[in-house]
Amino acid sequence: MSVLIIVFLTAVAALFSGVFEKGKLARYIGILGLMIALVVSFFPQAEFLNQYKAMYNYSDNAALFTKISLVTTLLLFFLGGFAFSNHRSHQSELYALMLFALCGGITIFGFQNLVTLFIGIEILSIPLYVMAGANKTDLRSNEASIKYFLMGAFATGFLLFGIAFIYGSTGSFDLMNIQDFSIAHPGNIMFTIGVIMILCAMSFKVALAPFHMWSPDVYYGSPSLITAFMASVVKISGFFALFKMMSIGFVGVTEQWIDILGVFVIITLLLANVMGLAQTNAKRMLAYSSVSHAGYIGLIFFGMNAMSSYTLAFYLFAYSLATVGVFMCLIYVEKIKREASYEAFKGLAKSEPLLAVVTAISLLSMAGIPLTAGFMGKFSLFAQALGNDDNVGIVLVAVLGSAISIAYYLRLIIAMFFFKETTFKTAEKATITYNIVAVFVIASLVVFGVFPDLFAKVFAFAG
Amino acid sequence: MSYLLLTLLLLPLVGSGIVFTWKNASSKYVALAIALVQMLLTFYVAADFDFAPTVDSVLQYEINYPWSQFIKSTLHFGIDGMSLLLLLLTNILMPIIILSSFNENVSYRNTFYGLILLMQFGLIGVFTSLDGLLFYIFWEVTLIPIWFIAALWGQENKRFEFTTKFFVYTFVGSLFMLAGLIYVGIHSASFALTDLYNANLGDTQQVVVFWMIFFAFAVKLPVFPFHTWQPDTYTYSPTQGSMLLSGIMLKMAIYGVLRYLLPITPSAILGISGQIVIILAIVGIVHGALIAIIQTDMKRIIAYSSFSHVGLMVAGIFASAVVTLRGTFNVEGAEGALVQTFAHGINVVGLFYCCDILYKRFKSRDIRQMGGLAKVAPKFAVLFLIIILGSMGVPLTNGFIGEFILIKSIFSFNVLATVIAGLTVILCAVYLLRFYGKAMFGKGDDAVLSTARDLSAVEFSVLASIAVFVIVMGIFPQPIIDMVGSSVQFIYKSLVS
């Protein structure tokens, strides 16, 4: 709870700093606040707000996911100085909105009650609608904002409708009461409709096909740093909400939603990877790659066991780190070349070797090549699903999906390493914070890829 | 705990780190020095190795560390006769491969040699790991450096398409293998080799796992019809890349079949799957050889010949396994395949180097534009001939003994299969002698021949050391058969038990 308060106060401070200064100050305030929040999140939380336990519970899981989203946001804030350096105005508001969205995420991590869930999701989403349109002069950014808002409103409608059905059948918003009800009355039609509504709404949020249509356009149109935020922190929050809802609240009626979710996952894996292959623009490719990762993460619901939430956290963290790694390079290239096609990346390895290496390792991690954290994440997802013989088919689809995905990840690596280009030589150099983030991302991806148990030591068993 | 094995494993990794950061100009000497030290260490291990161990202690130099609870895997390494053979092959070929590039003006030398050493690290990991997941990880580790080598230093602009095809093909195969290994690992609660062997899968499960794992090996070997990446990749890779790929990397799959596939899925092999593989392998033998005959690009000839030779090894291994599972204990196929693995590795590296030499003299890979080099380069003519004869499997060269044992093992499986597989000997003679005849005799372009030199010192030392191996191993093959004997018997016994 105190983490949430700290992040919220930081956001308010960042927002008001815009009165005095155009943006630098907000970024520093954000970095400081996030660091404090990160430190605090490692300590046991004071129980001074016990009366909220039924609404919000900062459990071990909540702590774990809070920590990984704080780390990711912090990395993005470090990149902000470079990313927004030629944004003319409203920078402090953007930083503040990012922090507000993070508040929404943290609210989701601790939800014990569907009302908290709904509030969390709205706090997360509304700032995003604004941030997607941050490039006011860019038509694509406006389009992204409108599209995201309309689709988000749809999803909200579904969610509310679903919650209403759940409340109608159980008479309670409390997660534990819903769980009891789902175990006691597995055949209740009204409850089942509610479950499916909520499943669809959450699939919108995490961009699982067939509810993914908004995401490539929104990812493409938004400013790249915001896209990185959507692909990492928002995905962490959305998936955690879906996971907690399905695995705790609706655990009694698993048979009724698991097949539907299985269809979503299979469509996602095939569609997103094939579409990713067809892209010529790196940013759009990454958007489809993000959709495809929603498909891999969807495997978490198959063959669930006691380690599932930990596996989910590991995969999401590995994926977020890789996202930060790729997007920092994308931001750099976009700034110099004003576009992000594969062509624009040609020759990057010559002028900015560190950036090229961090991108390559991140892409290999996304593809699941061994000795990266992404491999360990994918491995544990597959392993969990294969614990049950019924899931062999869906894992094979996931395998096929990753096999397709390697082709488009390689294209970016080929462009960076195997061509020489002179445009970069005279260009602006990446800043020192940039290099620090790059080294951090490389080190984390490799270290967690070689020693996966370290993740538990660092993140899971403190606080 | 064996510091020696740990050194063997980590020296190339540390070495590659050193070479990556070394000055461009002299990095090749550093790389060669590291590879030579590595070779001497391997010789020491081989000399120190107990060649007549009892069946339950085939493994020596074991390292076993806990690794991760999260993935239920251990850091378990060890050497048995089979590992030792492949370690020897890798570490003998590495200095030769590095030396073979000394005459060339390689761009970004430190990266090039760093990648070669990184590849060596992966290969040694593959050949010594005793844990399914560890095996998979090292298997993939070898892929990244070879892809960079093939794509960055390849010869023509088309190299990106072909190397990407290669990468995607092998990656697809590996992923299916990963899924298969995880499946077995889940059913045996850990990825340790002994647990994988005792997984107790049902018949249908074994068939599924068999094809998932075999797919990876089939692509890498390659077995017909998964071979289409191979000729292109061999052709457009730099010489060192082709050497690494065909000399060592495809042997990972032979090793994997013996170490992982056979003991985990015996009932699938006894069933229809084993026979399908034998048929595919034999189709590959004939198909590869026939295509090699009509090729005019010399690197493609070698590529298809390699494809054809590998088919024989696979057919032999599976024939022995099927015969053993039917009740007559037979390890000849595996022994022959391992002997042939060693011989083929050495020969194919020699052949690719000869191609490289020919390319430098004639500035073309097309054998129709060659001729008459024997007159001006007699030393080359002799060494080249020895390597060609070795590849053809003429008696008293290293290729003969393996081929002989392999054909014998297929004979105990099926006579018709033996007759078809035996065609490889004849067809191989056709395309290799045609290649040799065209290049070395016949009418050559006088302008080219007047400027062509005989071998330089580096070229001579590389080819001569290979030729010595060809002859010595052809006359004394027994040590290699002894080396692999007990470990192969151990594996085949675990098939039936």
Side-chain angles (χ1 to χ4, degrees):
Chain A
M1 193 82 188
S2 35
V3 178
L4 182 57
I5 294 169
I6 292 169
V7 175
F8 175 74
L9 291 179
T10 313
V12 173
L15 186 64
F16 281 101
S17 75
V19 175
F20 311 106
E21 208 261 351
K22 284 293 173 229
K24 258 194 188 141
L25 189 59
R27 178 164 158 260
Y28 292 135
I29 291 173
I31 290 173
L32 187 70
L34 286 168
M35 278 178 165
I36 295 171
L38 191 60
V39 172
V40 171
S41 72
F42 278 91
F43 291 98
Q45 301 294 296
E47 304 263 324
F48 68 99
L49 289 165
N50 260 338
Q51 62 267 43
Y52 290 107
K53 261 278 158 80
M55 297 291 277
Y56 179 89
N57 178 12
Y58 190 78
S59 62
D60 284 353
N61 267 342
L64 177 58
F65 283 85
T66 306
K67 282 171 213 163
I68 61 178
S69 42
L70 282 173
V71 171
T72 314
T73 317
L74 191 57
L75 288 178
L76 291 173
F77 264 71
F78 274 118
L79 300 183
F82 190 83
F84 288 149
S85 64
N86 51 7
H87 244 252
R88 277 179 290 284
S89 58
H90 304 299
Q91 278 186 55
S92 46
E93 285 83 345
L94 276 177
Y95 289 122
L97 284 171
M98 259 163 100
L99 290 168
F100 280 127
L102 181 62
C103 285
I106 296 173
T107 312
I108 291 172
F109 298 140
F111 87 88
Q112 282 296 313
N113 190 302
L114 294 190
V115 175
T116 323
L117 172 70
F118 182 75
I119 292 174
I121 284 179
E122 288 309 296
I123 297 177
L124 176 73
S125 304
I126 292 169
L128 285 173
Y129 305 147
V130 182
M131 288 194 288
N135 273 348
K136 282 187 298 183
T137 51
D138 186 354
L139 268 182
R140 284 188 321 220
S141 186
N142 289 314
E143 183 198 336
S145 181
I146 286 286
K147 210 164 203 165
Y148 200 14
F149 174 64
L150 288 178
M151 288 296 174
F154 245 111
T156 303
F158 269 91
L159 184 64
L160 264 185
F161 216 43
I163 291 176
F165 269 98
I166 300 289
Y167 184 75
S169 50
T170 64
S172 167
F173 287 124
D174 189 84
L175 195 62
M176 289 303 146
N177 290 344
I178 293 168
Q179 185 184 34
D180 295 342
F181 184 88
S182 83
I183 294 167
H185 309 276
N188 189 314
I189 295 291
M190 203 155 138
F191 187 76
T192 307
I193 294 174
V195 169
I196 292 168
M197 289 265 168
I198 290 185
L199 177 63
C200 292
M202 299 310 298
S203 302
F204 261 114
K205 291 288 171 198
V206 298
L208 264 175
F211 305 110
H212 71 289
M213 288 86 76
W214 57 272
S215 78
D217 294 332
V218 172
Y219 280 29
Y220 183 54
S222 308
S224 294
L225 192 75
I226 305 300
T227 312
F229 185 77
M230 288 177 191
S232 55
V233 177
V234 177
K235 200 141 251 176
I236 297 174
S237 316
F239 253 106
F240 183 77
L242 182 62
F243 177 75
K244 197 163 174 182
M245 209 57 236
M246 291 298 167
S247 69
I248 297 179
F250 302 148
V251 70
V253 289
T254 306
E255 323 68 85
Q256 302 190 2
W257 52 264
I258 193 83
D259 290 339
I260 302 176
L261 191 66
V263 173
F264 289 179
V265 168
I266 289 173
I267 299 175
T268 310
L269 286 169
L270 295 178
L271 195 79
N273 281 313
V274 171
M275 291 301 286
L277 205 55
Q279 304 306 315
T280 53
N281 183 293
K283 202 166 165 187
R284 279 193 88 86
M285 178 275 276
L286 286 168
Y288 278 106
S289 136
S290 168
V291 176
S292 81
H293 279 275
Y296 303 124
I297 303 168
L299 286 178
I300 195 80
F301 297 100
F302 296 87
M304 262 196 276
N305 57 32
M307 291 289 280
S308 288
S309 58
Y310 177 73
T311 304
L312 179 69
F314 190 95
Y315 192 95
L316 283 168
F317 187 55
Y319 171 67
S320 301
L321 279 175
T323 304
V324 172
V326 179
F327 269 92
M328 62 186 292
C329 177
L330 187 86
I331 291 167
Y332 177 80
V333 171
E334 246 188 348
K335 195 156 171 192
I336 286 163
K337 300 268 179 93
R338 310 252 158 238
E339 50 135 2
S341 63
Y342 288 121
E343 295 285 311
F345 283 78
K346 281 187 177 172
L348 186 74
K350 282 289 280 176
S351 60
E352 284 287 341
L354 188 62
L355 269 186
V357 168
V358 72
T359 315
I361 290 182
S362 303
L363 289 169
L364 293 177
S365 174
M366 282 186 184
I369 300 273
L371 300 186
T372 60
F375 167 72
M376 287 299 172
K378 211 170 252 178
F379 167 82
S380 40
L381 279 177
F382 288 4
Q384 186 204 298
L386 282 174
N388 185 343
D389 274 12
D390 298 342
N391 300 331
V392 173
I394 201 165
V395 174
L396 286 183
V397 174
V399 164
L400 197 68
S402 342
I404 302 171
S405 74
I406 189 73
Y408 56 78
Y409 293 133
L410 282 189
R411 275 163 73 185
L412 196 55
I413 299 182
I414 288 175
M416 288 187 306
F417 282 89
F418 299 160
F419 290 94
K420 293 183 186 92
E421 179 109 342
T422 47
T423 334
F424 278 111
K425 274 191 183 150
T426 50
E428 188 175 357
K429 287 281 160 198
T431 55
I432 185 82
T433 39
Y434 237 66
N435 293 336
I436 292 170
V437 175
V439 170
F440 180 83
V441 169
I442 294 173
S444 316
L445 284 176
V446 172
V447 167
F448 290 132
V450 179
F451 304 105
D453 284 9
L454 223 60
F455 182 74
K457 292 204 178 83
V458 176
F459 286 105
F461 303 121
Chain B
M1 171 74 227
S2 157
Y3 291 104
L4 205 53
L5 179 53
L6 204 61
T7 318
L8 270 180
L9 191 65
L10 292 181
L11 182 65
L13 182 66
V14 175
S16 87
I18 295 172
V19 172
F20 270 128
T21 50
W22 202 268
K23 286 194 302 288
N24 233 332
S26 56
S27 56
K28 60 181 178 182
Y29 299 107
V30 182
L32 183 66
I34 291 165
L36 283 173
V37 171
Q38 182 83 356
M39 183 173 80
L40 293 176
L41 275 176
T42 320
F43 285 152
Y44 177 77
V45 170
D48 196 40
F49 199 77
D50 179 6
F51 282 101
T54 55
V55 166
D56 21 339
S57 66
V58 247
L59 290 170
Q60 294 167 43
Y61 295 100
E62 265 184 278
I63 304 176
N64 198 347
Y65 272 123
W67 181 16
S68 166
Q69 286 300 307
F70 184 48
I71 52 172
K72 296 191 186 64
S73 217
T74 49
L75 290 172
H76 192 182
F77 299 94
I79 305 180
D80 66 350
M82 201 163 86
S83 305
L84 180 64
L85 180 81
L86 286 151
L87 273 187
L88 279 170
L89 177 72
T90 310
N91 290 340
I92 288 171
L93 285 181
M94 276 298 168
I96 293 179
I97 290 171
I98 291 175
L99 191 64
S100 75
S101 66
F102 266 36
N103 274 352
E104 275 164 56
N105 189 16
V106 183
S107 50
Y108 308 109
R109 270 188 203 156
N110 49 349
T111 318
F112 184 71
Y113 294 107
L115 286 171
I116 290 182
L117 288 176
L118 195 60
M119 170 110 186
Q120 189 179 17
F121 163 68
L123 289 164
I124 291 169
V126 166
F127 295 139
T128 56
S129 53
L130 298 169
D131 181 285
L133 194 65
L134 215 52
F135 171 77
Y136 172 79
I137 288 177
F138 280 110
W139 175 275
E140 288 292 70
V141 165
T142 57
L143 184 58
I144 308 282
I146 190 67
W147 177 62
F148 271 103
I149 291 172
L152 277 174
W153 288 273
Q155 284 169 347
E156 278 158 51
N157 277 330
K158 272 186 276 181
R159 64 188 194 255
F160 297 119
E161 295 159 34
F162 293 124
T163 50
T164 309
K165 183 174 166 189
F166 156 67
F167 193 99
V168 172
Y169 251 73
T170 44
F171 187 71
V172 174
S174 316
L175 272 178
F176 278 98
M177 174 167 82
L178 175 65
L181 283 174
I182 293 175
Y183 188 81
V184 184
I186 295 288
H187 283 262
S188 60
S190 119
F191 289 92
L193 196 60
T194 42
D195 288 340
L196 293 182
Y197 283 9
N198 300 325
N200 282 329
L201 301 173
D203 285 357
T204 332
Q205 290 174 321
Q206 286 203 15
V207 172
V208 174
V209 169
F210 175 86
W211 285 106
M212 286 210 270
I213 299 182
F214 180 73
F215 186 40
F217 297 148
V219 168
K220 198 125 261 162
L221 279 165
V223 170
F224 179 85
F226 306 105
H227 65 284
T228 55
W229 62 271
Q230 187 226 27
D232 296 329
T233 310
Y234 283 17
T235 311
Y236 296 109
S237 295
T239 306
Q240 284 71 31
S242 318
M243 289 172 168
L244 286 168
L245 271 167
S246 62
I248 316 176
M249 209 166 160
L250 76 81
K251 273 60 179 189
M252 295 185 344
I254 296 275
Y255 174 85
V257 167
L258 284 168
R259 175 78 80 208
Y260 291 89
L261 192 58
L262 296 187
I264 291 175
T265 60
S267 88
I269 289 160
L270 183 59
I272 189 83
S273 308
Q275 290 171 32
I276 293 176
V277 170
I278 296 178
I279 292 168
L280 288 179
I282 289 175
V283 170
I285 294 172
V286 179
H287 179 73
L290 287 177
I291 295 184
I293 288 175
I294 56 160
Q295 293 301 314
T296 53
D297 182 320
M298 60 184 174
K299 277 183 116 177
R300 289 186 102 83
I301 297 178
I302 313 291
Y304 279 109
S305 111
S306 166
F307 169 44
S308 159
H309 278 121
V310 166
L312 189 64
M313 298 183 213
V314 175
I317 291 175
F318 278 88
S320 273
V322 172
V323 170
T324 303
L325 285 163
R326 282 177 184 166
T328 332
F329 190 71
N330 182 328
V331 294
E332 281 171 343
E335 280 179 352
L338 285 168
V339 173
Q340 184 70 344
T341 290
F342 196 82
H344 178 262
I346 303 251
N347 291 341
V348 85
V349 164
L351 283 175
F352 273 120
Y353 195 52
C354 290
C355 287
D356 191 44
I357 292 170
L358 286 170
Y359 181 76
K360 288 212 185 91
R361 308 289 188 271
F362 290 107
K363 302 277 177 277
S364 162
R365 288 200 312 260
D366 191 336
I367 59 169
R368 287 170 300 188
Q369 295 174 15
M370 300 177 183
L373 195 63
K375 262 182 283 179
V376 287
K379 275 193 271 180
F380 176 58
V382 172
L383 294 174
F384 188 17
L385 183 65
I386 293 174
I387 294 169
I388 289 268
L389 292 178
S391 306
M392 277 160 46
V394 173
L396 293 185
T397 63
N398 61 353
F400 171 72
I401 186 72
E403 224 157 60
F404 176 76
I405 308 177
L406 280 170
I407 291 175
K408 192 158 156 261
S409 81
I410 300 173
F411 189 82
S412 59
F413 168 72
N414 184 310
V415 180
L416 180 66
T418 318
V419 173
I420 302 173
L423 285 176
T424 178
V425 181
I426 305 159
L427 296 174
C428 184
V430 174
Y431 59 75
L432 282 182
L433 287 180
R434 172 169 155 272
F435 172 31
Y436 185 79
K438 278 262 198 244
M440 304 309 288
F441 303 108
K443 195 175 152 12
D445 185 342
D446 288 333
V448 174
L449 288 180
S450 61
T451 55
R453 298 170 294 103
D454 204 351
L455 300 176
S456 70
V458 169
E459 288 168 342
F460 182 78
S461 52
V462 170
L463 282 186
S465 47
I466 290 172
V468 168
F469 267 108
V470 170
I471 290 168
V472 170
M473 215 189 117
I475 300 172
F476 303 109
Q478 195 59 37
I480 289 185
I481 300 175
D482 291 344
M483 189 188 293
V484 296
S486 57
S487 38
V488 167
Q489 285 189 6
F490 177 75
I491 287 167
Y492 275 64
K493 272 186 191 134
S494 75
L495 278 183
V496 273
S497 67

